[in-house]
C-alpha cells in the first residue's frame, strides 16, 4: 500500500478515536450505549441549560458554584435504538455530611424514553454554605445492563459530577428606576427586585431590605417565593386618590445594604404621578427622534463641556428608542398593528417620551454624553445602568398640539454609575428646555441637564446641551459661560 495512503489512514483513525472520546454524538451502531453527566458551560463559564448544547467543549466533571440559584445538571444517554424506557439511579452526598442544606430533584432516579435522551438533576440550596464544601453526584445503576455507566473511555468518564461550593456574593437591584401611576385609589402596580445570584427565602424574610420616602399612602405585598430564586415580584397598591392634575406626587423605595445582601445597579425606585398636561397625541413629537426600521439609528448631540481646560461644544451620539406603553395609556399612539386585524398584538408608543438604550446585550449607550462626564467608569449595564436611560426626555407641544415646537423636560430620576474600582454612585438628574423644527425635518432640542451628587460634585452641576435627530446639523455657537469638568469615580 502506498506509504502516503497508510499515513492518511492512521491520521483518520487517530481523529476518529479522539472524536469518540470527546464527542459521543458521533457514534455508530457498533459502539455500546452509555449514560453520563453532560454539564457544559459557555466560554465565560456560565452553565448551559438543556436543550442548549456546545460541540466545541468537553462536558465538565466539576464546577465551582458561586450562585444560590438552582443548579441544573443534565445527564445524557447515548443510544442508537432506545425501544423502551430506561431508568438510572444516582446518589448525592455532601462533603460536610449535611444533606439537609440542599435539595435534589428528582430524588435519586432519572428516566430516558423515546426521543427523551436527556434528563436533568436540579440542585437547590436551602441555606448559606461555608467555605470548602462540595456536593458529589454519582451515577450508580441502570435498568438496562447493556448500557455502560460513564463514557467509553478513561479520559472523560463523566460518571460522577462534583459541585464545589465557592464564595457567594448575594446582591440585588431594581431592573427599572421609575414607575408612573395614574393616581387612582386601589390602583396596583408591580415591580421586581432582581437577585442575579439568587437568594435564600429564610434570610430575606428576616431582613428589612427597603428604605421608604413616601409622598402618598400605599400597601406593599409580594408573591410567594416558589422555586424562583432570581427575583421577587412586589405589588404596590395605592390607598388614596391622588388624581389632582396640577400636583406632582412621588414616593421612593430604596434598596439598602443589609445582612449578606448588597444593593447594586439601580438602588432607588421612584413611583410617580406627574402633573397632567393636555396634549394631542397626534402631535407625536417623540416619533421625530427614533426610527425602529434602522438598527443603527442615533440621535446626535453637543455638550458645553471642559476640553483640556477650555469650554467647548463636544459632540456625542446615542441609540434612541420610543417608550412602549399599553393601549389604555393616556399618551398611547398606535405604532404598528403588525399587519393583522388582531388588536392584541398592536404596538403602542408614548407620543411624548423617548429614551436611550442598546438594542440588546449587556453594553450601554451614551445617554446625555454622560460617559464624558466621568473617568474610570464601568460601562456594563449591570454596573452602570444609568448610561441607559430608557425614559429620558418628555415633550410638551406648544398649545398642546404643535407639530413643530414646544417645551422639553429631562424626566427627574435617579441613575446609578459605577467606577471600575467598584465605587457606585446614585445621581439625581433633571432639567428642561425647548425643542423646535429648525429646517425641514430637522429638529433641535435646547436644554440644560442638572446632575446632583454631594460626593462627586459637591451638590448640583449644570451643563448646556443641543440635540438633533440627524447627524447633519449646524454647529452651535460658542457660549460665554462656565462648563463642567470630568470627574474621577
Amino acid at each position: 500500500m502506498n506509504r502516503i495512503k497508510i499515513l492518511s489512514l492512521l491520521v483518520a483513525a487517530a481523529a476518529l478515536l479522539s472524536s469518540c472520546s470527546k464527542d459521543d454524538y458521533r457514534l455508530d451502531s457498533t459502539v455500546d450505549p452509555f449514560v453520563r453527566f453532560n454539564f457544559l458551560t459557555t466560554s465565560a463559564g456560565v452553565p448551559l441549560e438543556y436543550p442548549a448544547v456546545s460541540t466545541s467543549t468537553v462536558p465538565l466533571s466539576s464546577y465551582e458554584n458561586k450562585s444560590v440559584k438552582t443548579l441544573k445538571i443534565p445527564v445524557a444517554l447515548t443510544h442508537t435504538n432506545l425501544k423502551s424506557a430506561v431508568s438510572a439511579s444516582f446518589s448525592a452526598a455532601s462533603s460536610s455530611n449535611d444533606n439537609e442544606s440542599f435539595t435534589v430533584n428528582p430524588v435519586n432516579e432519572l428516566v430516558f424514553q423515546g426521543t427523551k435522551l436527556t434528563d436533568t438533576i436540579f440542585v437547590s440550596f436551602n441555606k448559606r454554605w461555608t467555605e470548602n464544601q462540595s456536593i458529589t453526584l454519582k451515577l450508580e445503576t441502570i435498568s438496562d445492563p447493556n448500557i455502560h455507566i460513564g463514557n467509553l473511555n478513561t479520559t472523560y468518564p463523566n460518571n460522577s459530577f462534583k459541585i464545589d461550593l465557592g464564595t457567594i456574593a448575594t446582591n440585588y437591584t431594581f431592573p427599572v428606576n421609575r414607575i408612573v401611576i395614574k393616581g387612582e385609589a386601589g390602583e396596583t402596580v408591580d415591580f421586581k427586585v432582581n437577585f442575579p445570584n439568587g437568594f435564600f427565602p429564610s434570610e430575606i424574610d428576616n431582613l428589612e431590605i427597603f428604605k421608604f420616602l413616601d409622598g402618598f399612602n400605599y400597601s406593599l405585598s409580594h408573591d410567594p417565593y416558589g422555586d424562583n430564586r432570581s427575583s421577587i415580584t412586589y405589588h404596590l397598591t395605592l390607598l388614596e386618590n391622588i388624581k389632582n392634575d396640577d400636583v406632582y406626587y412621588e414616593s421612593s423605595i430604596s434598596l439598602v445594604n443589609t445582612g449578606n445582601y448588597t444593593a447594586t445597579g439601580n438602588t432607588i425606585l421612584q413611583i410617580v404621578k406627574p402633573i397632567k398636561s393636555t396634549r394631542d397625541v397626534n402631535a407625536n413629537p417623540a416619533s421625530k427622534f427614533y426610527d425602529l426600521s434602522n438598527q443603527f439609528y442615533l440621535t446626535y448631540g453637543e455638550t458645553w463641556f471642559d476640553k483640556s481646560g477650555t469650554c467647548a461644544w463636544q459632540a456625542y451620539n446615542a441609540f434612541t428608542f420610543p417608550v412602549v406603553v399599553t393601549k389604555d395609556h393616556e399618551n398611547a399612539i398606535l405604532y404598528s398593528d403588525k399587519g393583522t386585524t388582531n388588536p392584541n398584538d398592536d404596538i403602542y408608543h408614548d407620543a411624548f417620551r423617548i429614551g436611550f438604550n442598546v438594542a440588546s446585550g449587556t453594553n450601554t449607550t451614551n445617554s446625555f454624553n454622560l460617559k464624558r462626564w466621568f473617568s474610570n467608569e464601568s460601562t456594563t449595564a449591570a454596573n452602570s445602568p444609568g448610561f441607559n436611560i430608557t425614559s429620558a426626555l418628555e415633550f410638551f407641544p406648544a398649545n398642546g398640539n404643535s407639530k413643530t415646537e414646544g417645551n422639553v423636560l429631562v424626566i427627574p430620576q435617579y441613575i446609578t454609575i459605577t467606577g471600575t474600582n467598584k465605587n457606585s454612585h446614585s445621581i439625581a438628574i433633571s432639567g428642561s428646555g425647548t425643542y423646535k423644527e429648525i429646517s425641514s425635518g430637522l429638529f433641535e432640542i435646547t436644554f440644560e441637564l442638572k446632575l446632583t451628587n454631594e460626593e462627586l460634585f459637591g451638590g448640583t452641576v449644570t451643563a448646556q446641551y443641543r440635540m438633533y435627530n440627524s447627524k447633519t446639523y449646524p454647529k452651535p455657537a460658542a457660549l460665554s459661560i462656565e462648563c463642567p469638568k470630568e470627574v474621577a469615580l
Side-chain angles (χ1 to χ4, degrees):
M1 184 180 289
N2 183 285
R3 184 176 180 180
I4 295 177
K5 187 173 182 181
I6 293 174
L7 181 61
S8 299
L9 290 173
L10 288 173
V11 171
L16 178 60
L17 288 173
S18 173
S19 68
C20 285
S21 65
K22 294 185 179 182
D23 186 353
D24 33 70
Y25 294 104
R26 302 178 184 177
L27 297 174
D28 58 36
S29 59
T30 64
V31 178
D32 292 337
F34 57 92
V35 63
R36 50 83 177 95
F37 288 98
N38 192 35
F39 188 88
L40 304 170
T41 66
T42 66
S43 58
V46 178
L48 285 174
E49 295 185 7
Y50 180 80
V53 296
S54 171
T55 58
S56 61
T57 58
V58 174
L60 301 178
S61 59
S62 66
Y63 175 73
E64 184 180 15
N65 181 56
K66 297 182 179 181
S67 169
V68 301
K69 295 189 293 186
T70 297
L71 186 63
K72 302 175 183 179
I73 304 161
V75 179
L77 173 64
T78 301
H79 202 299
T80 57
N81 187 23
L82 189 62
K83 296 180 179 179
S84 59
V86 172
S87 62
S89 69
F90 67 93
S91 60
S94 168
S95 62
S96 62
N97 295 319
D98 179 13
N99 289 343
E100 295 182 357
S101 63
F102 64 95
T103 302
V104 175
N105 186 39
V107 176
N108 60 10
E109 186 178 79
L110 302 163
V111 177
F112 310 91
Q113 56 186 336
T115 59
K116 177 180 174 290
L117 298 181
T118 293
D119 205 351
T120 301
I121 299 173
F122 298 83
V123 180
S124 302
F125 304 97
N126 304 324
K127 62 182 181 181
R128 193 172 293 266
W129 56 77
T130 58
E131 293 182 4
N132 301 320
Q133 284 186 267
S134 64
I135 300 170
T136 299
L137 305 173
K138 185 179 180 181
L139 295 172
E140 300 286 358
T141 64
I142 193 157
S143 62
D144 186 341
N146 295 315
I147 298 176
H148 188 266
I149 294 178
N151 279 335
L152 303 178
N153 64 79
T154 58
T155 307
Y156 303 98
N158 296 117
N159 57 349
S160 66
F161 184 78
K162 184 182 178 185
I163 306 168
D164 292 310
L165 300 178
T167 303
I168 58 175
T170 41
N171 48 50
Y172 47 13
T173 185
F174 290 120
V176 299
N177 64 349
R178 192 173 187 269
I179 296 175
V180 177
I181 59 175
K182 298 176 182 177
E184 301 171 347
E187 177 184 359
T188 297
V189 293
D190 295 344
F191 65 88
K192 287 182 180 291
V193 176
N194 284 350
F195 295 78
N197 287 328
F199 66 93
F200 293 104
S202 60
E203 292 181 344
I204 294 297
D205 278 337
N206 297 316
L207 292 178
E208 296 292 336
I209 67 173
F210 295 135
K211 180 174 67 176
F212 303 94
L213 182 60
D214 295 333
F216 47 81
N217 295 319
Y218 59 87
S219 64
L220 204 60
S221 61
H222 65 77
D223 284 347
Y225 300 131
D227 294 328
N228 177 18
R229 303 288 178 83
S230 298
S231 66
I232 301 174
T233 299
Y234 287 84
H235 312 284
L236 184 150
T237 302
L238 195 59
L239 300 179
E240 62 175 313
N241 195 320
I242 54 171
K243 292 199 66 175
N244 189 330
D245 292 343
D246 299 323
V247 178
Y248 175 87
Y249 294 88
E250 178 182 338
S251 288
S252 64
I253 302 175
S254 301
L255 292 171
V256 297
N257 297 326
T258 180
N260 289 305
Y261 292 82
T262 303
T264 60
N266 291 320
T267 61
I268 301 176
L269 175 65
Q270 295 171 283
I271 301 95
V272 173
K273 201 291 293 181
I275 294 174
K276 188 173 182 179
S277 175
T278 301
R279 292 173 288 184
D280 182 358
V281 296
N282 292 307
N284 200 11
S287 65
K288 308 299 182 183
F289 296 90
Y290 62 83
D291 181 2
L292 296 185
S293 67
N294 179 2
Q295 62 176 323
F296 303 110
Y297 181 82
L298 301 161
T299 51
Y300 299 82
E302 300 271 353
T303 314
W304 187 247
F305 206 81
D306 185 279
K307 186 176 183 180
S308 302
T310 303
C311 291
W313 287 110
Q314 299 197 41
Y316 74 98
N317 55 60
F319 289 106
T320 311
F321 292 90
V323 175
V324 178
V325 296
T326 57
K327 181 180 181 179
D328 61 349
H329 191 282
E330 63 182 4
N331 297 338
I333 188 166
L334 181 65
Y335 170 72
S336 172
D337 62 7
K338 292 190 173 181
T340 72
T341 57
N342 181 6
N344 295 325
D345 64 1
D346 292 351
I347 300 174
Y348 288 84
H349 290 167
D350 192 308
F352 306 110
R353 289 187 294 160
I354 59 171
F356 310 106
N357 205 350
V358 291
S360 61
T362 60
N363 292 326
T364 53
T365 192
N366 193 16
S367 300
F368 297 135
N369 204 20
L370 289 175
K371 292 179 181 178
R372 191 182 295 277
W373 280 72
F374 308 105
S375 63
N376 193 39
E377 73 274 13
S378 172
T379 59
T380 63
N383 295 329
S384 297
F387 286 133
N388 292 335
I389 306 177
T390 56
S391 186
L393 290 174
E394 184 166 4
F395 301 94
F396 297 84
N399 301 315
N401 60 5
S402 175
K403 295 188 176 183
T404 58
E405 61 182 336
N407 296 316
V408 69
L409 176 74
V410 177
I411 298 172
Q413 58 193 287
Y414 293 94
I415 63 172
T416 298
I417 306 295
T418 301
T420 55
N421 53 14
K422 306 301 182 183
N423 291 338
S424 182
H425 305 274
S426 182
I427 303 168
I429 65 169
S430 61
S432 61
T434 60
Y435 71 95
K436 186 175 183 179
E437 186 177 26
I438 58 175
S439 64
S440 180
L442 177 63
F443 279 78
E444 177 187 65
I445 305 174
T446 301
F447 65 99
E448 68 174 15
L449 176 68
K450 296 180 179 180
L451 275 65
T452 302
N453 179 283
E454 196 66 33
E455 181 182 0
L456 294 176
F457 312 118
T460 300
V461 291
T462 302
Q464 299 299 316
Y465 282 77
R466 305 290 186 267
M467 199 174 100
Y468 304 89
N469 61 340
S470 171
K471 64 180 178 181
T472 303
Y473 57 86
K475 187 74 173 181
L479 303 177
S480 57
I481 60 174
E482 295 182 353
C483 60
K485 298 180 179 180
E486 184 180 74
V487 174
L489 296 175

